[in-house]
Amino acid sequence: MTSFVIRKRSETIDVNHPMTLIASQKTIGSALGCMSLAEDTKKQAEKLWTIDKPKNGSIYHLAGDDVIRLSCIVLDETKSRHMPLVNVFQLQKNLKDSYFAENNAQFILFLDSDNCDAYASVVAEIVRGCPEFTRKTEDSHAPDQIEIVVDGNLNGNDILRLQGIADTVSMVSRIIDTPTLEMGTDDMMKMIVAQATKLGLSIEIIDGEDLKKRGFGGLYHVGKSGATQPKLVILGYHADNLKAHI
């Protein structure tokens, strides 16, 4: 299982491990300026990615005796009032499996916006590009952790929000992608209970014949054909010192 860690950029970006830069045309120059690249490597990167029509792709450079990958995805700056703050529709197509396959892999985000919502859409696309559920026949090893480093004037609450989005997208993707043959009602219930416990929610579980007795006949009769018993999980939030009921 791959976990995603969100953090703010430090002053200088260490390039001694594989990374993928995601930036707009306006911010690529600033991003490269923050990287500890050799002068010839930086010139090669600028030649590819700071021109009028930049090409997405990878270059390779030496860090000691190791050959390190540096990739770049240039976000399309075309926008309309019906689109998110950052045009991420082409991003998913440009995220390659190889970007997620290496240990210590990083994604560096340089956007021409300090709005947390802009970073949120990009973070969600990155996480969705590395599904937890897979049954590929080839021997592929997903890294234990992928780090997403964000630039911009974001505060601690923004980072916590982005981390929450990454965790939520990862969990929901696993639920959606896993077929019911492998994730029955018992597995689903355990996942729900674990998340509800973290949030301090009250939990009530009605399953099997109790559903029928308590008037949930539809759930009971549809679900009883499954390999595991049908279940209804009721979550409740009870705040302290309530002053009004809505």
Side-chain angles (χ1 to χ4, degrees):
M1 183 182 296
T2 301
S3 63
F4 291 84
V5 177
I6 314 292
R7 70 171 178 86
K8 280 198 72 171
R9 176 182 70 83
S10 55
E11 290 301 316
T12 303
I13 300 173
D14 181 15
V15 293
N16 292 326
H17 44 259
M19 65 176 53
T20 302
L21 170 63
I22 299 177
S24 65
Q25 279 188 271
K26 296 177 182 177
T27 58
I28 291 176
S30 300
L32 293 174
C34 296
M35 295 181 176
S36 54
L37 291 168
E39 197 61 35
D40 56 340
T41 304
K42 187 173 292 187
K43 288 181 180 179
Q44 182 185 2
E46 290 174 346
K47 186 177 180 181
L48 286 173
W49 299 327
T50 61
I51 57 177
D52 290 338
K53 295 183 178 179
K55 296 180 180 179
N56 298 326
S58 302
I59 61 175
Y60 295 86
H61 61 97
L62 286 174
D65 296 328
D66 298 322
V67 179
I68 306 297
R69 173 187 61 81
L70 171 61
S71 303
C72 182
I73 298 174
V74 182
L75 295 172
D76 187 353
E77 295 186 9
T78 304
K79 298 178 183 177
S80 80
R81 61 185 177 182
H82 302 297
M83 292 172 64
L85 293 173
V86 176
N87 188 346
V88 295
F89 296 111
Q90 292 296 321
L91 177 58
Q92 191 67 49
K93 295 180 180 179
N94 292 318
L95 288 171
K96 300 179 181 179
D97 290 344
S98 59
Y99 295 171
F100 299 96
E102 299 148 315
N103 286 320
N104 302 318
Q106 270 189 345
F107 287 86
I108 313 294
L109 310 187
F110 268 75
L111 309 181
D112 57 341
S113 172
D114 287 330
N115 192 316
C116 185
D117 289 337
Y119 284 88
S121 58
V122 177
V123 167
E125 288 292 336
I126 292 173
V127 176
R128 193 68 184 99
C130 184
E132 290 192 22
F133 176 84
T134 179
R135 288 296 177 265
K136 290 184 177 180
T137 54
E138 65 266 22
D139 183 20
S140 59
H141 172 67
D144 295 329
Q145 178 177 296
I146 290 177
E147 192 172 52
I148 302 176
V149 181
V150 298
D151 186 64
N153 188 26
L154 303 180
N155 58 38
N157 288 332
D158 292 332
I159 300 300
L160 287 175
R161 181 186 172 201
L162 294 177
Q163 184 66 62
I165 289 171
D167 295 340
T168 302
V169 170
S170 179
M171 179 186 68
V172 173
S173 299
R174 184 168 72 254
I175 294 172
I176 293 172
D177 295 341
T178 307
T180 54
L181 180 66
E182 298 189 33
M183 180 182 285
T185 55
D186 290 340
D187 299 315
M188 180 75 76
M189 183 193 69
K190 290 176 183 177
M191 185 178 297
I192 293 171
V193 169
Q195 293 299 320
T197 303
K198 289 181 183 177
L199 297 172
L201 304 179
S202 65
I203 305 167
E204 180 183 359
I205 300 171
I206 308 173
D207 62 354
E209 293 291 335
D210 288 339
L211 284 168
K212 185 178 179 181
K213 293 176 182 177
R214 295 179 61 173
F216 298 101
L219 286 176
Y220 170 75
H221 288 290
V222 172
K224 69 179 183 180
S225 61
T228 56
Q229 289 192 344
K231 292 176 173 58
L232 174 64
V233 182
I234 303 172
L235 306 179
Y237 173 67
H238 306 283
D240 295 332
N241 303 319
L242 286 175
K243 296 182 179 179
H245 292 278
I246 299 175

